[in-house]
Amino acid sequence: MKQALVFADRLGEELVPLNEHYAPAMLPVAGHPVLEYTLDRLQSAGVEEVFLVVPAGDTQIRNYFEGGVRWSLTIHYLSARADDTPDRVRLRLGNALEAPFAALRGDVWRCPSSIELDDSAPFCGLSERARNQYELWCNTSNSLQALAWQKPPGQASLSESPRGRFYGLVSLVDYHQLATASADPAWWPVAHRRAGSGLYSGALSRVHPASYRNGHSCIGDFSLIELGAELSGLNAVGHHCFVARGAALNNAVVLDNTFVGAGMRVENAIVIQQRIIRVDLNATLDIQDAFFLAPSRTKLTTELLYRCFERLLAVILLGLSLTASLMRGADQNYLTWFEVRRALRQTLAGRLALFGRPQSSRISDQLNHEDCPWLTQFQSISVGALSPAALAYPGAKDPVLLSLAEIELYAPLSLRALLKQGLRAIIAGLHPALKRSQPAEPIALTEDVRL
């Protein structure tokens, strides 16, 4: 069994407001995303190739795991669709996914286990003995529908099975319990248990021993716990965090890039930057005073960098806008150089994204006429001056192909995707212009920027 199909496509509505910062599959436990534990398990089971289903427009998971080289895996990404089921995803893969294969949910947490996998005993929701809805090993012809995400009604999300423990992460309380429990070395299987006292700190972190009172605390990388801060109970502190003198943590989860100021007492809560979530009271409070809670470091945000690069690319493309290969429209009406320049100037003014879907009535009408289930997802993509789908597939006229490609290539605030699409546009502009005898292929420009 060399292949696996992993579902990490949950949007996390049950984890509001954490899902504003983390996809459920990327919630950190002991310094690592929950999905990483799944990939580790697959790699130890001999799997070499993983098909990973992620939410539409995801960049967080893709940027972290990339091609899977760090885990000795080859990862292929699939964007989830609104009407997808596990069986439909399997059909989409066709012959690329060969039986037998493993099918798992990657947006739940599975405890690392020293027990070797028994391929002769597949288990998932179809097996009452295992009481586990999250995995199916050595699958050949069984339906994968048991892996469709749904919170079991009236059931605790912690599932015990002969092969380990699983957390479904179906609530903020669920995640808080998991994150704080993971700070206790005794909670882990013996093979994965760390040695040492009740205080563990990651790489280049500094924690004064006098800050430790009792219990167990796990501190991530590049974090600082000042002398005079107090750590009691079970605490999980993320990467790049700062806990100031006079602050107190008791059964707290402090997520990455968070500053906890002097005099701030955090108890039975999840803290993320300027927001504190009391899981015992089911209450959320945004702290506006940066003296108490704030992002731990001031830096250029990804959005700011993205907008700067976007405008820089718009300037470069303005210089190439006279090139015939950039004079192409969404509906085969050739645009003048002035219309192209006008669209790019709107990008420079911040009124229009550089890359996005074309607002073409032909494409939308065709999708609506054929009752395509991804129409809503296509229309949710922001309008842009240039179409990534038309750049990737020059000459394509099929609205179904272009709309699906637009969804697949949509990567908001991804610098990597921006540079890749910008390079395609620049190459198109530098392409030897002018085979005059042949009409240029269309690059989709939005209709609302035409004269």
Side-chain angles (χ1 to χ4, degrees), residues 339-358:
E339 291 168 331
V340 175
R341 290 170 66 89
R342 184 183 179 192
L344 295 174
R345 283 171 177 160
Q346 290 198 26
T347 297
L348 285 175
R351 294 192 293 269
L352 189 68
L354 179 58
F355 297 106
R357 69 173 173 90

Side-chain angles (χ1 to χ4, degrees), residues 346-369:
Q346 290 198 26
T347 297
L348 285 175
R351 294 192 293 269
L352 189 68
L354 179 58
F355 297 106
R357 69 173 173 90
Q359 195 169 353
S360 170
S361 60
R362 181 180 66 87
I363 292 180
S364 297
D365 291 347
Q366 184 70 22
L367 294 179
N368 189 49
H369 176 73

Side-chain angles (χ1 to χ4, degrees), residues 7 16 101 134 136 140 195 201 206 223 288 309 321 323 394 431:
F7 295 90
V16 172
F101 61 90
Y134 303 132
L136 177 60
T140 53
S201 59
R206 289 187 294 162
S223 292
Q288 300 302 322
F309 277 109
S321 60
T323 307
H431 191 274

Side-chain angles (χ1 to χ4, degrees), residues 93-136:
L93 288 172
N95 294 330
L97 185 62
E98 300 178 354
F101 61 90
L104 306 86
R105 288 221 66 94
D107 43 22
V108 301
W109 187 85
R110 47 186 42 81
C111 181
S113 175
S114 58
I115 303 174
E116 292 186 2
L117 299 171
D118 178 8
D119 290 341
S120 65
F123 61 106
C124 68
L126 303 176
S127 170
E128 292 298 328
R129 179 183 65 83
R131 296 187 293 111
N132 171 24
Q133 67 204 41
Y134 303 132
E135 296 186 357
L136 177 60

Side-chain angles (χ1 to χ4, degrees), residues 55-367:
D58 163 77
T59 57
Q60 193 178 40
I61 297 176
R62 294 174 191 257
N63 290 344
Y64 185 89
F65 293 99
E66 298 181 325
V69 175
R70 287 161 51 196
W71 296 267
S72 299
L73 295 170
T74 300
I75 298 179
H76 308 283
Y77 294 94
L78 291 85
S79 292
R81 299 173 183 172
D83 63 334
D84 262 351
T85 65
D87 286 330
R88 287 184 180 178
V89 172
R90 183 180 180 179
L91 289 175
R92 279 168 57 190
L93 288 172
N95 294 330
L97 185 62
E98 300 178 354
F101 61 90
L104 306 86
R105 288 221 66 94
D107 43 22
V108 301
W109 187 85
R110 47 186 42 81
C111 181
S113 175
S114 58
I115 303 174
E116 292 186 2
L117 299 171
D118 178 8
D119 290 341
S120 65
F123 61 106
C124 68
L126 303 176
S127 170
E128 292 298 328
R129 179 183 65 83
R131 296 187 293 111
N132 171 24
Q133 67 204 41
Y134 303 132
E135 296 186 357
L136 177 60
W137 288 89
C138 215
N139 188 61
T140 53
S141 59
N142 291 335
S143 170
L144 304 181
Q145 200 56 37
L147 298 178
W149 173 253
Q150 54 183 352
K151 179 181 177 181
Q155 224 177 345
S157 64
L158 175 62
S159 173
E160 295 286 352
S161 82
R163 299 169 187 267
R165 291 170 293 172
F166 299 81
Y167 270 89
L169 301 176
V170 298
S171 68
L172 295 172
V173 173
D174 211 26
Y175 174 64
H176 179 266
Q177 290 177 347
L178 171 62
T180 52
S182 67
D184 184 356
W187 185 78
W188 294 81
V190 175
H192 298 269
R193 192 170 298 172
R194 65 175 183 268
S197 64
L199 185 60
Y200 172 83
S201 59
L204 299 180
S205 288
R206 289 187 294 162
V207 185
H208 199 284
S211 296
Y212 172 72
R213 293 290 188 267
N214 58 66
H216 298 274
S217 294
C218 180
I219 314 300
D221 301 336
F222 308 103
S223 292
L224 173 63
I225 311 295
E226 281 194 325
L227 173 63
E230 294 184 7
L231 301 174
S232 58
L234 297 175
N235 299 289
V237 179
H239 306 308
H240 299 280
C241 292
F242 186 103
V243 180
R245 183 192 310 266
L249 304 183
N250 181 22
N251 295 326
V253 179
V254 181
L255 294 175
D256 298 348
N257 304 317
T258 298
F259 165 77
V260 180
M264 189 72 184
R265 182 174 182 84
V266 181
E267 184 172 358
N268 299 321
I270 301 171
V271 182
I272 178 165
Q273 298 184 9
Q274 292 180 283
R275 178 170 289 170
I276 182 169
I277 306 165
R278 282 291 299 264
V279 294
D280 53 344
L281 302 178
N282 194 26
T284 300
L285 178 65
D286 290 331
I287 306 296
Q288 300 302 322
D289 191 341
F291 179 81
F292 294 105
L293 283 180
S296 65
R297 48 185 178 170
T298 304
K299 61 178 182 178
L300 288 175
T301 64
T302 301
E303 182 175 2
L304 179 59
L305 286 174
Y306 183 91
R307 299 306 174 199
C308 290
F309 277 109
E310 186 180 51
R311 283 160 176 74
L312 177 61
L313 283 172
V315 171
I316 295 173
L317 292 172
L318 272 172
L320 300 173
S321 60
L322 292 177
T323 307
S325 58
L326 284 177
M327 306 297 183
R328 300 178 282 191
D331 52 6
Q332 302 181 20
N333 295 324
Y334 301 125
L335 303 175
T336 67
W337 64 271
F338 179 76
E339 291 168 331
V340 175
R341 290 170 66 89
R342 184 183 179 192
L344 295 174
R345 283 171 177 160
Q346 290 198 26
T347 297
L348 285 175
R351 294 192 293 269
L352 189 68
L354 179 58
F355 297 106
R357 69 173 173 90
Q359 195 169 353
S360 170
S361 60
R362 181 180 66 87
I363 292 180
S364 297
D365 291 347
Q366 184 70 22
L367 294 179

Side-chain angles (χ1 to χ4, degrees), residues 403-422:
S403 61
L404 288 175
E406 207 72 70
I407 293 171
E408 186 70 24
L409 294 171
Y410 180 57
L413 301 183
S414 170
L415 290 174
R416 178 180 298 182
L418 176 67
L419 295 177
K420 182 184 294 185
Q421 293 161 5

